[in-house]
């Protein structure tokens, strides 16, 4: 109850309230839920006023001009006040900066000022970001600049995402749209729809003379499909592959991967694969609903290394139930032994809609300071053994307002991860629950198209969705 809030007031101010309340770990209350924090906004004579009434009826008021800068100032003050009122350090290492893509903002400021150092100083002055986070942001954006540079062909280069919204079990921390594959009775129809979806995009690729820089098949867990279905969806997405370009498949759970599925990937040009342990401790895997052991991760990794030349990514999460610093140290020792090309360190985001949100295990979650120590340790360890950070993003309700960082061995950065985070290239999606975004330099404004999360709705409305996608393509490339 103490982390629920309700807001009433002007919509522009409400957007700022939503972002900063989320940054402070507060969830918006749904109908009928008890509310601990009530926020009431108003606009009068060119000024916003925001009143906050807390759990013990303590009251705080904030006021600023009714401008974008005024809203930013109120948002900052609200964030700091709510963090302090809940017993957290008033100003975290990210200061008052909220939002998913801080590197995107850094790139924008770099473009405007012409200098990375000036962009960094603006962020520090405006958002109170720590020198530690600024250093990470600057190193990542410097590495990414070749991928975000604009040339005459930029507007006809795209990346493609293929979404497979199924898993074999539900991880307790996950709120992504998905279904249990063994419970879905229209799987053949889904595969047929996915193939039709990819085929139309391949035709559009030829018609508009598009170059595909990267392909990424995610989910869900694509390898949760049976072998026949998996073969068909990979083959369909491979129609868009261009020689020498990146093609990644998430095979995140070792219990869903077979030698036959690996062979399918190789035959269709896949050159990158994600194996995502999240943790190398069996008791933690069991606590979060992962239906595999740490030993199975080792076995799959060894098989892929022995039989393929695939680049491998591995994901780990800091902040899981029962997790300690010694667990993260063990995870990093595993990385040191195996040296996958990419490693992503996630901070647990406790999301409403995930099973973990309402489970007793939330009492077993490590404290904010412990999670921050784990994330810091993992980053230092990875850099020490030769990895460099190459992409970063943040989510709502992350422990300690922290971040997810992808690390890479030099020369192995996953291009798609950079493309999706920095939003400087058109990314067209295939499959349910996915989003297409058409981007044109130098403004990088978006045309968007979202597909339904419900798989059956996706199947039943596919013809309409494909017609809308063609309209967006004509609007963008024939303009």
């Amino acid at each position: 109850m103490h982390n629920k809030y309700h807001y009433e007031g002007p919509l522009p101010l409400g957007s700022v309230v939503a972002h900063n309340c989320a940054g402070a770990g507060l969830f918006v209350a749904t109908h009928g839920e008890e509310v601990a924090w009530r926020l009431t906004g108003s606009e009068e004579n060119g000024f916003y006023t925001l009143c906050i009434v807390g759990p013990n009826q303590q009251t705080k008021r904030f006021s600023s001009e009714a401008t974008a800068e005024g809203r930013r100032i109120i948002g900052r003050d609200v964030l700091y006040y709510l963090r302090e009122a809940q017993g957290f350090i008033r100003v975290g290492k990210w200061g008052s900066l909220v939002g998913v893509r801080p590197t995107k903002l850094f790139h924008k400021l770099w473009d405007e000022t012409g200098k990375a150092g000036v962009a960094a100083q603006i962020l520090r002055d405006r958002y109170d970001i720590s020198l530690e986070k600024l250093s990470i942001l600057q190193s990542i954006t410097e590495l990414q600049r070749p991928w975000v540079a604009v040339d005459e062909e930029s507007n006809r280069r795209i990346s493609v995402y293929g979404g497979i919204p199924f898993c074999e079990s539900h991880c307790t921390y996950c709120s992504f749209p998905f279904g249990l594959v063994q419970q879905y009775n229209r799987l053949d129809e889904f595969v047929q729809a996915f193939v039709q979806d990819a085929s139309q995009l391949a035709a559009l690729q030829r018609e508009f003379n598009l170059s595909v820089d990267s392909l990424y098949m995610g989910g869900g867990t694509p390898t949760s499909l049976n072998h026949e279905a998996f073969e068909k969806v990979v083959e369909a997405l491979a129609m868009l592959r261009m020689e020498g370009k990146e093609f990644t498949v998430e095979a995140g759970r070792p219990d869903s991967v077979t030698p036959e599925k690996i062979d399918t990937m190789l035959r269709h040009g896949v050159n990158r694969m994600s194996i995502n342990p999240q943790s190398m401790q069996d008791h933690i895997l069991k606590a979060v609903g992962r239906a595999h052991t740490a030993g199975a991760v080792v076995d799959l990794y060894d098989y892929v290394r022995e039989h393929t030349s695939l680049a491998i990514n591995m994901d780990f999460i800091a902040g899981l139930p029962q997790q300690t610093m010694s667990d993260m140290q063990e995870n990093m020792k595993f990385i040191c032994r195996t040296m996958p090309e990419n490693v992503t360190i996630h901070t647990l985001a406790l999301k409403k809609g995930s099973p973990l949100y309402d489970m007793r295990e939330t009492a077993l979650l490590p404290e904010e300071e412990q999670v921050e120590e784990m994330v810091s340790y993992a980053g230092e360890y990875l850099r020490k053994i030769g990895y460099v950070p190459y992409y970063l993003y943040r989510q709502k309700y992350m422990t300690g307002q922290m971040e997810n960082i992808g690390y890479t061995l030099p020369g192995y950065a996953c291009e798609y991860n950079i493309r999706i985070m920095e939003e400087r290239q058109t990314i067209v999606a295939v499959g349910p629950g996915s989003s297409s975004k058409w981007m044109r330099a130098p403004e990088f404004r978006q045309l968007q198209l979202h597909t339904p999360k419900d798989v059956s709705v996706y199947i039943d409305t596919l013809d309409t969705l494909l017609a809308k996608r063609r309209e967006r393509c004509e609007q963008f490339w024939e303009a």
Side-chain angles (χ1 to χ4, degrees):
M1 189 277 253
H2 289 289
N3 66 347
K4 303 289 177 62
Y5 78 93
H6 176 75
Y7 168 79
E8 291 183 1
L11 185 60
L13 187 59
S15 177
V16 172
V17 166
H19 279 94
N20 287 279
C21 282
L26 302 186
F27 293 81
V28 62
T30 56
H31 181 70
E33 289 186 320
E34 291 187 68
V35 175
W37 301 86
R38 295 190 178 276
L39 293 85
T40 305
S42 61
E43 179 181 353
E44 189 174 353
N45 298 324
F47 277 82
Y48 287 125
T49 299
L50 182 70
C51 176
I52 301 179
V53 179
N56 298 316
Q57 300 305 304
Q58 70 269 31
T59 301
K60 185 74 173 179
R61 279 185 168 80
F62 303 95
S63 182
S64 191
E65 292 181 350
T67 61
E69 178 64 10
R71 290 192 295 273
R72 186 190 68 79
I73 291 170
I74 288 180
R76 176 200 64 194
D77 294 345
V78 166
L79 175 63
Y80 292 168
Y81 171 72
L82 290 174
R83 281 184 58 83
E84 191 171 43
Q86 295 178 93
F88 301 129
I89 297 172
R90 184 172 185 269
V91 183
K93 291 186 177 181
W94 282 102
S96 63
L97 183 62
V98 294
V100 172
R101 295 175 168 86
T103 46
K104 178 181 175 181
L105 177 58
F106 197 111
H107 281 299
K108 180 181 178 182
L109 292 171
W110 189 343
D111 290 343
E112 292 173 354
T113 63
K115 294 183 179 180
V118 175
Q121 190 60 52
I122 291 172
L123 286 173
R124 182 161 173 79
D125 293 343
R126 188 177 295 171
Y127 298 103
D128 303 324
I129 302 175
S130 68
L131 292 175
E132 174 191 338
K133 299 304 180 187
L134 276 176
S135 176
I136 292 173
L137 281 180
Q138 185 162 342
S139 67
I140 289 174
T141 52
E142 287 173 350
L143 183 150
Q144 291 179 342
R145 285 306 269 190
W147 280 280
V148 303
V150 175
D151 58 38
E152 291 182 358
E153 301 300 321
S154 295
N155 289 329
R156 291 193 182 269
R157 294 208 306 268
I158 69 170
S159 289
V160 176
Y161 176 79
I164 308 296
F166 296 109
C167 288
E168 293 176 302
S169 63
H170 193 173
C171 298
T172 60
Y173 53 78
C174 182
S175 64
F176 290 156
F178 82 105
L180 297 182
V181 66
Q182 61 271 29
Q183 294 179 2
Y184 190 65
N185 59 11
R186 300 181 65 184
L187 187 60
D188 289 345
E189 293 178 78
F190 162 73
V191 171
Q192 183 179 357
F194 188 94
V195 172
Q196 181 183 348
D197 195 346
S199 297
Q200 193 234 30
L201 181 54
L204 293 171
Q205 176 192 7
R206 294 188 296 270
E207 180 179 346
F208 293 103
N209 192 27
L210 307 178
S211 174
V212 177
D213 284 338
S214 65
L215 294 170
Y216 193 101
M217 179 176 281
T221 306
T223 47
S224 66
L225 298 174
N226 63 51
H227 176 62
E228 181 182 0
F230 182 71
E231 171 95 41
K232 289 179 179 178
V233 297
V234 173
E235 182 180 27
L237 207 61
M239 288 188 290
L240 295 147
R241 185 177 70 90
M242 302 190 75
E243 193 66 32
K245 298 297 185 178
E246 181 181 281
F247 188 179
T248 305
V249 170
E250 286 190 0
R253 301 172 62 132
D255 48 320
S256 69
V257 184
T258 64
E260 292 77 17
K261 290 175 184 175
I262 293 173
D263 181 62
T264 291
M265 294 184 221
L266 296 175
R267 284 188 289 104
H268 293 294
V270 174
N271 49 29
R272 305 181 65 93
M273 174 180 176
S274 287
I275 303 171
N276 301 331
Q278 313 302 2
S279 172
M280 291 301 290
Q281 293 76 44
D282 286 344
H283 69 284
I284 295 177
L285 293 173
K286 183 177 180 180
V288 298
R290 304 278 291 188
H292 64 82
T293 63
V297 174
V298 175
D299 291 343
L300 176 58
Y301 183 89
D302 289 345
Y303 182 90
V304 174
R305 278 289 187 243
E306 182 179 350
H307 293 90
T308 82
S309 59
L310 294 170
I312 296 175
N313 172 76
M314 287 190 157
D315 287 1
F316 291 86
I317 299 176
L320 293 170
Q322 306 177 30
Q323 191 176 40
T324 65
M325 174 58 82
S326 64
D327 295 324
M328 184 57 74
Q329 291 170 339
E330 184 178 339
N331 294 338
M332 292 303 99
K333 288 178 182 177
F334 170 72
I335 292 299
C336 188
R337 291 195 303 271
T338 54
M339 296 297 288
E341 284 74 12
N342 302 145
V343 180
T344 305
I345 304 299
H346 296 267
T347 302
L348 179 69
L350 187 59
K351 294 187 175 182
K352 202 169 184 179
S354 68
L356 183 60
Y357 178 82
D358 292 317
M359 293 172 67
R360 294 180 181 179
E361 280 82 350
T362 53
L364 301 176
L365 296 176
E367 296 294 328
E368 178 177 314
E369 294 78 7
Q370 294 173 289
V371 179
E372 186 172 342
E373 187 180 2
M374 290 181 204
V375 172
S376 178
Y377 171 83
E380 291 174 9
Y381 189 100
L382 290 168
R383 286 189 288 269
K384 190 179 299 183
I385 63 175
Y387 291 86
V388 292
Y390 79 101
Y391 83 105
L392 177 153
Y393 68 103
R394 302 172 70 201
Q395 294 170 277
K396 289 183 178 181
Y397 314 120
M398 297 187 90
T399 306
Q401 260 194 298
M402 287 183 278
E403 69 281 331
N404 304 322
I405 302 182
Y407 295 85
T408 184
L409 294 175
Y412 288 96
C414 176
E415 180 175 346
Y416 179 84
N417 285 335
I418 296 173
R419 300 293 189 191
I420 191 70
M421 283 300 127
E422 304 319 317
E423 294 191 321
R424 292 196 168 206
Q425 184 182 77
T426 295
I427 296 181
V428 186
V430 175
S434 56
S435 298
S436 297
K437 297 180 180 179
W438 287 262
M439 312 293 296
R440 175 174 282 116
E443 297 86 0
F444 302 111
R445 293 176 181 170
Q446 301 177 6
L447 284 175
Q448 296 189 17
L449 179 65
H450 306 287
T451 56
K453 296 179 181 179
D454 187 291
V455 182
S456 294
V457 174
Y458 164 76
I459 294 169
D460 295 336
T461 62
L462 182 62
D463 288 343
T464 300
L465 293 169
L466 298 187
K468 288 181 179 178
R469 183 167 66 191
R470 166 168 280 282
E471 289 177 5
R472 298 288 195 282
C473 289
E474 291 172 349
Q475 181 181 353
F476 187 79
W477 282 298
E478 292 182 355

